[in-house]
């Protein structure tokens, strides 16, 4: 409740000068979140599947791996659910493979987000354990996400988990395992909706544990060989950020230990800390990982080494540019931009990135734009580049010229701009705007008319012009029933076009 106490705590967070970048305001206080390393001890308990194990998303890549593992570990009956059941690609082959291992297998068409259908499956198959692997991706940066795109992801991941929780509370389960994601616990670029869905799973597991029920939410990093992040561009981007694909056999071994542990929510990922920690803290400090010794060591190394490297890169690049003509400076920086863009976009090399082609046409979106900005900052030593720099300077050549100005400042203008006589540079030749011209709807015929239209809030929309030979009666059909017609009879038109 936004009462006086909550407001006081909120203002304390905003103006207190602390380092927390993500907090939760609760009646009990202001809470921060930390990731801590789980230390494996001797004689650690493991979960051994027995009886009937229900695996949602069971015909997918991760569900199939869990099914094979459960069969090998002693499960007597494996129930695999997916929206298409035996019609899903590879479902029949997986069923036959598991039957060959001596396990009873049922492949059922059931969407876990459909509560009634799921209740029917649980009534037909009394289960001893649940593993929820179902999920879908619909990645996009925040301003591209819509309620519909959230709903698609939340339905498969969060709603399915909620129904499993509600419908099995009267069962004596050995395990209730939710396949969550690294995106929900740590974050992942372009996965705001997926992060929300998986954060729900983590909290659901904590709630079940608080109620005395079994539950484990495992926030997985990417799995190799068929995981949801096993897509070329996504995998390449995650690798560059220090998040590596996990060996599937190693991951399933962790699954057995995590499901039997006392911790309701764990993160399991293979990280290259030298790349991951600096990337996670690139735009602001991130206390989430502050207690991890690997993260602290990586950040200390980056603070001493990366800062020095940036200075060296900048100095080295300045040295290469000094003494060159403006055109030569542009060429050197253009090659830098092209090489960086090729790496981010997965192109064969710099030559595959045309100098005058728009970044959007090359495949740059809001997500890769930030990655390209970060790469250029690292390569050139230029800091403070806007996240939108590749859209503000929309071609490699335009961006190269912008980088030249950022690197050289006034030195970029040292090239002669006037005639040379007797070795002396005449630099005071002015640039004169002789005139400007434009035509726009609303009767605008010159810049003054355009300014008047804008400043006065004029309306440039009017009736269809009568000087173009159009059959206005036949063209306008407000009912929209006749082909080749328009629903409206107004528009923004240039005046006098019929006189051309």
């Amino acid at each position: 409740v936004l009462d006086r106490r909550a407001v006081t705590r909120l203002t304390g967070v905003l103006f207190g000068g602390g380092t927390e970048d993500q907090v939760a305001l609760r009646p009990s206080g202001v809470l921060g979140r930390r990731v801590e390393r789980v230390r494996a001890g001797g004689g650690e308990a493991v979960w051994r599947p027995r009886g009937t194990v229900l695996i949602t998303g069971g015909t997918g890549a991760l569900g199939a791996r869990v099914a094979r593992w459960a069969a090998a570990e002693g499960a007597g009956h494996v129930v695999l659910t997916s929206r298409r059941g035996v019609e899903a690609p590879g479902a029949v082959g997986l069923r036959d493979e598991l039957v060959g291992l001596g396990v009873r297998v049922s492949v059922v068409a059931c969407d876990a987000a459909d509560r009634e259908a799921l209740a029917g499956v649980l009534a037909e198959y009394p289960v001893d354990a649940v593993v929820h692997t179902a999920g879908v991706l619909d990645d996009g940066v925040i301003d591209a996400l819509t309620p519909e795109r959230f709903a698609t992801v939340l339905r498969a991941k969060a709603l399915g988990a909620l129904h499993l929780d509600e419908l099995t509370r009267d069962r004596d389960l050995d395990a209730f395992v939710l396949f969550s994601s690294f995106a929900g616990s740590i974050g992942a670029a372009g996965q705001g909706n997926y992060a929300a869905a998986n954060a729900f799973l983590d909290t659901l597991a904590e709630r079940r544990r608080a109620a005395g029920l079994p539950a484990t939410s495992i926030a997985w990093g990417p799995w190799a060989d068929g995981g949801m992040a096993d897509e070329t561009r996504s995998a390449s981007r995650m690798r560059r950020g220090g998040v590596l694909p996990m060996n599937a056999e190693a991951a399933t071994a962790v699954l057995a230990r995590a499901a039997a542990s006392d911790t309701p929510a764990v993160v399991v990922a293979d990280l290259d800390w030298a790349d991951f920690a600096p990337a996670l803290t690139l735009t602001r400090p991130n206390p989430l990982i502050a207690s991890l010794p690997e993260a602290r060591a990586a950040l200390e190394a980056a603070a001493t080494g990366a800062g020095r490297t940036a200075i060296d890169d900048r100095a080295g690049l300045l040295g290469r540019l000094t003494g060159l003509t403006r055109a030569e400076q542009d060429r050197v920086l253009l090659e830098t931009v092209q090489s960086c863009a090729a790496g981010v976009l997965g192109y064969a090399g710099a030559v595959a990135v045309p100098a005058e082609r728009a970044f959007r046409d090359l495949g740059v979106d809001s997500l890769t734009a930030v990655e390209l900005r970060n790469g250029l900052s690292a390569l050139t030593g230029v800091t403070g580049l806007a996240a939108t720099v590749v859209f503000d300077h929309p071609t490699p050549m335009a961006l190269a010229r912008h980088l030249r100005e950022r690197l050289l400042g006034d030195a970029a203008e040292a090239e002669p701009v006037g005639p040379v006589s007797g070795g002396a540079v005449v630099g005071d030749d002015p640039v004169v705007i002789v005139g400007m011209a434009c035509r726009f709807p609303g009767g605008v015929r010159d810049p003054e008319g355009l300014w008047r239209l804008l400043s006065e809030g004029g309306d440039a929309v009017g009736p269809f012009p009568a000087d173009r030979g159009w059959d206005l009666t036949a063209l306008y059909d407000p009912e929209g029933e006749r082909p080749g017609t328009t629903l409206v009879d107004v528009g923004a038109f240039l005046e006098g076009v019929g006189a051309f």
Side-chain angles (χ1 to χ4, degrees):
V1 177
L2 193 62
D3 54 16
R4 179 180 294 274
R5 181 173 60 175
V7 170
T8 300
R9 287 173 176 166
L10 175 59
T11 54
V13 169
L14 296 177
F15 302 108
T19 60
E20 298 296 329
D21 67 331
Q22 298 182 50
V23 301
L25 296 179
R26 298 285 185 264
S28 58
V30 180
L31 307 179
R33 200 167 178 85
R34 296 291 186 273
V35 175
E36 297 182 349
R37 178 170 286 281
V38 176
R39 298 294 181 185
E44 191 175 11
V46 295
W47 170 48
R48 300 295 184 191
R50 65 171 183 84
T52 300
V53 179
L54 169 65
I55 304 173
T56 67
T59 59
L62 295 185
R65 288 192 177 278
V66 174
R68 294 185 185 101
W69 170 80
E73 291 295 320
H77 182 196
V78 176
V79 180
L80 308 177
T81 67
S82 65
R83 284 176 292 179
R84 297 175 60 184
V86 292
E87 299 298 324
V92 173
L94 175 63
R95 180 193 61 191
D96 295 344
E97 176 187 349
L98 296 175
V99 169
L101 296 175
V103 179
R104 181 186 170 199
V105 181
S106 300
V107 181
V108 183
C110 173
D111 183 354
D114 183 337
R115 194 179 192 280
E116 184 176 346
L118 182 61
V121 171
L122 291 170
E124 183 176 354
Y125 304 102
V127 300
D128 299 292
V130 169
V131 182
H132 181 48
T133 74
V136 297
L137 293 174
D138 189 6
D139 291 356
V141 292
I142 289 294
D143 61 2
L145 295 179
T146 62
E148 293 75 20
R149 295 182 69 178
F150 268 95
T152 298
V153 175
L154 288 167
R155 174 182 171 81
K157 180 68 73 170
L159 189 58
L162 183 62
H163 291 164
L164 287 167
D165 167 50
E166 294 171 347
L167 295 171
T168 62
R169 283 189 163 240
D170 60 344
R171 309 285 178 97
D172 183 18
L173 298 180
D174 295 331
F176 186 94
V177 181
L178 303 172
F179 268 43
S180 180
S181 171
F182 187 83
S185 301
I186 308 294
Q191 292 191 327
N193 50 359
Y194 195 61
N198 286 287
F200 178 89
L201 264 60
D202 299 341
T203 306
L204 179 63
E206 292 177 357
R207 189 177 74 175
R208 281 182 60 92
R209 285 291 186 98
L213 300 170
T216 304
S217 181
I218 306 176
W220 297 105
W223 286 49
D225 303 324
M228 291 185 69
D230 192 17
E231 183 269 324
T232 303
R233 180 173 292 186
S234 176
S236 176
R237 182 172 64 243
M238 297 181 78
R239 278 183 179 275
R240 287 194 296 272
V243 184
L244 310 178
M246 293 182 296
N247 175 275
E249 292 185 5
T252 50
V254 174
L255 166 62
R257 298 201 305 272
S261 74
D262 295 330
T263 306
V266 297
V267 180
V268 180
D270 187 2
L271 302 176
D272 181 343
W273 286 101
D275 289 333
F276 174 73
L280 188 65
T281 57
L282 181 67
T283 57
R284 63 178 187 264
N286 194 317
L288 181 69
I289 59 173
S291 65
L292 300 175
E294 299 91 341
R296 290 199 301 269
L299 291 174
E300 289 172 3
T304 57
R308 182 71 255 169
T309 299
I311 295 172
D312 292 343
D313 287 346
R314 184 183 180 96
L317 190 57
L318 284 171
R320 292 177 59 197
L321 297 175
T322 302
L324 299 180
T325 66
R326 178 176 296 191
E328 291 169 336
Q329 292 169 351
D330 284 342
R331 177 183 54 77
V332 171
L333 289 166
L334 174 61
E335 292 172 353
T336 302
V337 173
Q338 289 172 314
S339 296
C340 188
V344 169
L345 297 171
Y347 284 24
V351 294
V353 180
E356 298 291 354
R357 185 89 179 271
F359 285 112
R360 286 190 184 276
D361 294 340
L362 292 168
V364 174
D365 56 20
S366 298
L367 181 58
T368 48
V370 175
E371 189 175 0
L372 180 51
R373 184 278 307 267
N374 295 344
L376 287 172
S377 293
L379 287 171
T380 65
V382 177
T383 59
L385 291 174
T388 58
V389 69
V390 300
F391 302 129
D392 299 334
H393 308 277
T395 67
M397 179 59 79
L399 184 52
R401 290 170 178 162
H402 174 67
L403 290 174
R404 183 197 65 217
E405 294 171 2
R406 291 293 303 273
L407 280 164
L408 300 176
D410 292 339
E413 302 300 327
E415 189 177 347
V417 295
V420 178
S421 176
V425 177
V426 181
D428 58 354
D429 188 21
V431 176
V432 178
I433 299 176
V434 177
M436 296 174 61
C438 61
R439 294 190 69 186
F440 288 103
V444 173
R445 295 177 175 272
D446 52 38
E448 290 77 12
L450 175 60
W451 173 247
R452 185 166 52 253
L453 177 73
L454 296 175
S455 63
E456 296 176 358
D459 188 354
V461 176
F464 283 5
D467 62 349
R468 309 209 180 167
W470 295 348
D471 184 349
L472 300 182
T473 303
L475 184 63
Y476 177 53
D477 177 17
E479 303 301 326
E481 296 178 351
R482 292 183 286 113
T485 61
T486 174
L487 292 168
V488 298
D489 59 354
V490 295
F493 300 95
L494 293 178
E495 291 184 358
V497 171
F500 283 151

